[in-house]
Amino acid sequence: MAMPETWDAVVVGAGPAGSATAARLARAGWAVLLLDRAEFPRRKPCGECVNPAGVEALRRLGALEAVLAAGPAPLAGWLIRAGGADGFAGGFPEGRGGLGIAREVLDTVLLEHARACGARVRTGVRVRDLLREGARVRGVAASGPDGQVEIPARVVVGADGLRSVVLRRLGLVRRPPRLRKVALTAHVRGADGLGTRGELRVRGDGCLGIAPVGGGLANASVVVAGRAAQAVGGDAAGCFDRALREYGFEAMERVDEVLATGPFDWPVRRAVADGAVLVGDAAGYYDPFTGQGIFRALRGAELAAEAVDGALLRGDASAAALAGYERARRRAFGPGERMQRLVEAFVARPRALAAVSRRLGRSPELADALIRVTGDLAPVRSLLHPALLLRLAW
């Protein structure tokens, strides 16, 4: 693995955020190296839904045609049930739906897109540390099939997920997790009744979401919190299978291994440092709702690539020079994060959630408005329109 070059950018992590960032920078003419410790294709614990804004981001990236060729399932909206109630259904605008697609498929398509754009790709390579010149990051130290190697770079992009090595080596984790949640995901067969809609069932100690992902399969994701999360222990498969029964999906058959991940509460102090930027979950995770996670990864990649491109052109990759990226992230994602905290508050109060769910069930227009916000098709402030608030009140 002899790579003596000094790369313009080394991107650590080849999920949607990393591959999209690498593709954009390579297409801009920079020498980009994309690294991932896994070999592709590989499974990833995820709800595997791309909301409508994420689909538009794939189009802007130039990868949508390849993603559609891989056979994803269309998502026209969501049915939300709380506490056993009938719940409410909300739809996306016609012609602007989402997609359900397995991560081993999506991530491989995006990695190959980055390669086609000119990025060099190396899988099976684990980044262990950052190279520094004083306080400035100047590359990564990694290990792979050919042993230890140092890879110099003008900018390092940390896109290596929830437990990002780049984030931790930069010392930018703000605090340990407070919200103890665990997610269990697997593919199931027998969800034909979903059609083109995903379904989320919520109760006091968590939720279970089901969405089609193509090929006759659906993704099932169980999220548990508090004592229930501690009870998962070493029996993820048993907990997952029990959840299918308890949430009323006992007719579905699990077809592969249960993947577990969590906790998710990893706030960061900032997403930039001298010679480095963070993108995707590495830049601070919050619990997304119905497909927002992949959109955030793709939109974050757009913002990160723009910032890194400008830094490389100016020859200044200091944290001060990259501060515009930090501000852009806050503008792009701040309202969604605040809405998610509101959702968390309702999930923790089943009676309040059930009451709101019943009201939304009587107001299809309001239900559609909420689902469109979660699809990142409308700003959170659109829910404050007087007409919608009046419908909720009555």
Side-chain angles (χ1 to χ4, degrees), residues 42 48 72 100-108 187 212-214 219:
R42 56 95 174 94
E48 300 186 325
I101 183 169
R103 281 291 298 273
E104 60 260 45
V105 177
L106 176 64
D107 289 9
T108 301
H187 294 119
V213 294
N219 172 287

Side-chain angles (χ1 to χ4, degrees), residues 8-393:
D8 293 318
V10 168
V11 180
V12 182
S19 289
T21 303
R24 289 181 172 278
L25 289 173
R27 198 163 54 201
W30 301 111
V32 180
L33 178 63
L34 176 61
L35 303 174
D36 199 284
R37 65 182 182 178
E39 299 288 354
F40 286 65
R42 56 95 174 94
R43 287 185 63 205
K44 187 83 172 177
C46 176
E48 300 186 325
C49 296
V50 185
N51 70 12
V55 173
E56 293 175 3
L58 288 171
R59 180 179 290 110
R60 293 194 298 271
L61 182 64
L64 181 58
E65 185 175 341
V67 170
L68 293 177
L75 282 177
W78 285 84
L79 171 64
I80 314 293
R81 299 182 187 272
D86 290 338
F88 66 93
F92 300 127
E94 186 174 353
R96 299 187 70 189
L99 298 173
I101 183 169
R103 281 291 298 273
E104 60 260 45
V105 177
L106 176 64
D107 289 9
T108 301
V109 169
L110 294 181
L111 180 145
E112 293 303 327
H113 179 72
R115 196 195 307 270
C117 287
R120 290 273 297 276
V121 177
R122 293 290 182 269
T123 55
V125 176
R126 183 184 295 269
V127 171
R128 300 192 177 276
D129 208 345
L130 300 175
L131 305 179
R132 295 180 184 271
E133 188 174 279
R136 186 191 180 284
V137 175
R138 64 174 185 84
V140 300
S143 60
D146 299 323
Q148 307 290 324
V149 64
E150 293 189 349
I151 307 173
R154 297 171 63 191
V155 178
V156 171
V157 178
D160 46 339
L162 192 60
R163 293 172 182 80
S164 167
V165 172
V166 178
L167 168 63
R168 280 155 180 75
R169 295 296 184 267
L170 290 172
L172 294 178
V173 178
R174 194 168 73 216
R175 58 163 173 78
R178 294 173 184 163
L179 183 62
R180 294 288 174 175
K181 298 178 76 173
V182 174
L184 309 173
T185 65
H187 294 119
V188 297
R189 186 180 290 115
D192 298 340
L194 292 175
T196 60
R197 186 177 60 188
E199 183 170 338
L200 185 69
R201 298 186 181 182
V202 182
R203 63 187 191 189
D205 59 349
C207 62
L208 191 154
I210 300 271
V213 294
L217 300 179
N219 172 287
S221 295
V222 180
V223 179
V224 293
R227 292 181 179 178
Q230 296 174 1
V232 170
D235 186 23
C239 290
F240 179 92
D241 294 341
R242 284 193 298 275
L244 283 181
R245 297 191 297 271
E246 291 169 359
Y247 279 92
F249 292 112
E250 60 275 357
M252 297 183 185
E253 174 193 5
R254 178 167 59 85
V255 299
D256 51 22
E257 178 188 4
V258 176
L259 303 181
T261 185
F264 304 107
D265 180 23
W266 290 104
V268 305
R269 290 193 284 120
R270 60 181 184 276
V272 299
D274 291 333
V277 301
L278 301 168
V279 65
D281 291 348
Y285 188 91
Y286 86 110
D287 197 8
F289 188 69
T290 64
Q292 289 173 290
I294 293 175
F295 162 69
R296 281 171 53 95
L298 295 169
R299 178 61 181 140
E302 292 177 339
L303 300 176
E306 181 180 3
V308 173
D309 178 59
L312 292 171
L313 286 171
R314 293 188 301 269
D316 180 3
S318 66
L322 294 165
Y325 168 61
E326 183 76 14
R327 293 190 293 271
R329 286 189 69 259
R330 290 173 182 170
R331 288 193 300 270
F333 304 135
E337 292 178 7
R338 290 190 287 274
M339 178 182 174
Q340 181 56 32
R341 285 192 285 272
L342 180 62
V343 170
E344 289 282 356
F346 273 98
V347 170
R349 295 167 175 81
R351 290 183 180 178
L353 181 62
V356 171
S357 180
R358 287 192 294 271
R359 187 61 53 88
L360 289 168
R362 296 194 295 269
S363 177
E365 181 182 353
L366 186 57
D368 285 348
L370 177 61
I371 294 301
R372 292 175 188 189
V373 167
T374 68
D376 290 294
L377 292 175
V380 174
R381 64 178 180 274
S382 68
L383 295 176
L384 301 178
H385 191 281
L388 293 179
L389 291 176
L390 186 62
R391 286 179 179 274
L392 183 59

